[in-house]
């Protein structure tokens, strides 16, 4: 045990305390592990709480159910049971060692050895445990590395990567989130040397890591190193010729203008806006349909120019894809801000972005029924008339009243 202690608010949570107590009775033991301990030491917020225990998975399930809590065997073959208490999930994993690995999966052996369990984890900062009282247990030197914000593999970086190539991406992901200065030289060298192995991973795991990497407050340094050593091209060949120069001004704009870090917008910053290539990227990395649609719509939207009028922009927001236009505008504004002697363009893009962000399509004040009442027969003519009125309404800046629009019905089309 170290003399380190954590005392975050979440540690006092009654559900967490009772799960730890249930799994620590009768000679067994349970501790909080990994992310929450690391983040508590760094004073950062925690979303998921992972627990490690000496109980075998069946024993975890038995004890949890006996306490009338819900146990879901989410990954029992690897020892993981999700416990739901008070509507909140806790991941409980039996202490284990990886006894056979093929670069993607591991065959595991359950055990009671905390040192073996900590050594099978990826980085020193991810292998700390805490007891229910908040005492920190450090079996791999993780606390010192948290102190210096050093991201270091446990053991030999090359060996650890050969066991699971995803660790290359995790190396850059955790560096982006918690690292400082340059990435650890051994980790960098091993990642460079073994990057070909990334092609063996399932696309879901790759995108999941990339998305988390792209969600860091400032992923620009991590991305630069990844690009430098060829890892970025290995997983995102689209970025190779396009470059990643926009990432830095984008993260600056986010920080200074209060935009939430947006992993998809960051992705858009480093790949060419080419609908066919982005469709292919989305298929290859198994992006969700929502993610794919947003990427493709971004590529298909005309870039917004500073000289575009407000009216034309509003018409585009009305008829087009608002999200895609906002994405275009944010990237345009972020890049423009970094350029010298372009103050007026920057101000203009800022104004356009606030129009886009506030834009809500006002409903057309006349309906099909109004037109029928005005003598327009049902059928194609009705649709054409509605389109004509909608255009007039948009062109007027959404100011034409119902009466004025109905007057237009009587007027001949121009
Ligand atoms: P986050 O805050 O992003 O959830 P985390 O540290 O909880 O960070 P997870 O990906 O949720 O990270 O993994 C939980 C823990 O499991 C890690 O802290 C690490 O100890 C271990 N782990 C996860 N994936 C791997 C892996 N591929 N190889 C080795 N250990 C891993
Ligand atoms: Mg986690």
């Amino acid at each position: 045990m170290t003399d380190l202690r954590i005392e975050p608010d979440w540690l006092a949570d009654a559900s967490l305390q009772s799960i730890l107590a249930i799994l620590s009775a009768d000679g067994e033991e349970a501790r909080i592990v990994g992310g929450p301990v690391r983040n508590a030491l760094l004073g950062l917020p925690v979303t998921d709480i992972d627990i490690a225990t000496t109980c075998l998975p069946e024993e975890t399930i038995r004890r949890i159910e006996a306490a009338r809590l819900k146990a879901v065997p989410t990954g029992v073959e690897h020892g993981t049971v999700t416990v739901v208490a008070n509507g909140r999930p806790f991941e409980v994993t039996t202490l284990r060692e990886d006894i056979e690995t093929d670069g993607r999966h591991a065959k595991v052996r359950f055990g009671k050895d905390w040192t073996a369990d900590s050594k099978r984890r990826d980085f020193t900062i991810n292998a700390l445990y805490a007891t229910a009282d908040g005492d920190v247990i450090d079996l791999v030197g993780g606390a010192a590395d948290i102190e210096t914000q050093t991201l270091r593999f446990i053991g030999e970086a090359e060996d650890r990567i050969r066991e699971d190539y995803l660790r290359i991406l995790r190396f850059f992901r955790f560096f982006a989130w918690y690292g400082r200065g340059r990435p650890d030289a051994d980790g960098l060298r091993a990642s460079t040397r073994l990057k070909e192995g990334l092609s063996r991973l399932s696309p879901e795991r790759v995108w999941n890591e990339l998305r988390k990497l792209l969600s860091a407050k400032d992923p620009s340094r991590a991305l630069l190193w990844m690009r430098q050593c060829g890892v970025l091209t290995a997983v995102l060949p689209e970025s190779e010729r396009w470059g990643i120069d926009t990432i830095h001004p984008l993260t600056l704009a986010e920080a200074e203008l209060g935009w939430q870090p947006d992993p998809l917008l960051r992705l858009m910053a480093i790949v060419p806006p080419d609908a066919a290539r982005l469709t292919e990227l989305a298929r290859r990395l198994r992006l969700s349909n929502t993610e794919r649609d947003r990427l493709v719509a971004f590529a298909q939207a005309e870039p917004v120019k500073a000289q575009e009028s407000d009216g034309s922009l509003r018409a585009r927001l009305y008829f087009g894809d608002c999200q895609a236009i906002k994405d275009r505008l944010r990237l345009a504004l972020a890049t423009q801000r970094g350029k010298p002697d372009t103050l007026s363009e920057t101000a203009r893009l800022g104004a356009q972005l606030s129009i886009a962000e506030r834009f809500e399509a006002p409903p057309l004040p006349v309906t099909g029924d109004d037109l029928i009442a005005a003598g327009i027969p049902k059928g194609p003519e009705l649709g054409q008339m509605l389109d004509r009125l909608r255009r007039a309404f948009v062109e007027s800046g959404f100011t034409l009243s119902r009466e004025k629009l109905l007057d237009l019905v009587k007027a001949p089309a121009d």
Side-chain angles (χ1 to χ4, degrees), residues 34-36 38 47-50 91 173 212:
R38 176 196 66 219
T47 40
D48 312 310
I49 297 193
D50 297 323
E91 290 236 313
R173 193 247 282 195
K212 287 180 176 169

Side-chain angles (χ1 to χ4, degrees), residues 337-349:
R337 278 165 33 102
K339 292 187 189 155
D341 304 325
T342 55
L343 266 189
S344 63
E345 274 104 327
T346 306
R348 179 76 195 123
L349 285 167

Side-chain angles (χ1 to χ4, degrees), residues 352-375:
Q352 288 169 314
L353 179 61
S354 66
I355 290 178
E357 272 168 355
R358 283 195 313 251
F359 184 79
E360 263 181 69
L364 187 66
V366 293
T367 64
D369 285 343
D370 294 330
L371 298 193
I372 293 166

Side-chain angles (χ1 to χ4, degrees), residues 11 93 193 201 232 262 288 316 364:
L11 187 60
T93 305
R193 205 171 283 164
L201 297 171
L232 191 62
D262 179 342
S288 73
R316 284 222 269 154
L364 187 66

Side-chain angles (χ1 to χ4, degrees), residues 19-237:
I19 296 169
L20 291 172
I22 293 164
L23 300 175
S24 297
D26 302 324
E28 302 289 356
E29 205 177 351
R31 296 170 178 168
I32 302 151
V33 62
V37 186
R38 176 196 66 219
N39 285 20
L41 285 170
L42 289 166
L44 296 172
V46 159
T47 40
D48 312 310
I49 297 193
D50 297 323
I51 295 170
T53 180
T54 55
C55 292
L56 290 174
E58 310 79 69
E59 178 63 9
T60 298
I61 295 172
R62 198 189 63 73
R63 289 181 179 213
I64 290 299
E65 287 180 346
R68 301 191 172 279
L69 295 173
K70 195 166 153 199
V72 190
T74 38
V76 257
E77 65 286 5
H78 289 104
T80 304
V81 174
T82 302
V83 175
V84 187
N86 223 337
R88 240 186 106 189
F90 297 84
E91 290 236 313
V92 178
T93 305
T94 304
L95 300 195
R96 64 175 214 225
E97 280 175 76
D98 297 342
I99 49 170
E100 243 184 79
T101 52
D102 65 357
R104 298 191 289 173
H105 311 102
K107 210 183 244 170
V108 309
R109 177 167 60 212
F110 300 134
K112 306 249 179 213
D113 182 347
W114 291 93
T115 304
D117 185 74
S118 67
K119 289 202 169 142
R120 64 104 179 154
R121 296 177 184 274
D122 43 11
F123 308 107
T124 57
I125 67 166
N126 283 352
L128 295 169
Y129 304 88
T131 65
D133 296 330
D135 290 320
V136 173
I137 295 146
D138 178 6
L139 306 166
V140 291
D145 286 341
I146 291 185
E147 192 95 53
T148 55
Q149 286 174 260
T150 307
L151 188 72
R152 200 196 309 271
F153 278 96
I154 298 171
E156 287 299 319
E158 283 212 14
D159 298 345
R160 302 312 311 283
I161 291 173
R162 283 186 211 283
E163 289 168 5
D164 181 0
Y165 289 97
L166 191 71
R167 290 176 188 155
I168 295 178
L169 297 181
R170 290 177 65 85
F171 178 67
F172 292 103
R173 193 247 282 195
F174 287 100
F175 174 74
W177 279 81
Y178 307 107
R180 189 165 67 187
R182 301 162 66 97
D184 170 66
D186 286 336
L188 201 57
R189 197 175 313 115
S191 301
T192 312
R193 205 171 283 164
L194 298 174
K195 58 178 180 276
E196 306 301 327
L198 286 163
S199 62
R200 299 166 53 181
L201 297 171
S202 79
E204 288 83 358
R205 289 181 86 204
V206 170
W207 173 235
N208 194 34
E209 272 311 319
L210 269 184
R211 191 201 291 108
K212 287 180 176 169
L213 191 150
L214 290 169
S215 304
K217 195 161 159 214
D218 183 358
S220 52
R221 275 174 318 123
L223 287 167
L224 264 171
W225 286 105
M226 286 169 82
R227 182 169 166 83
Q228 181 109 338
C229 70
V231 165
L232 191 62
T233 303
V235 286
L236 215 55

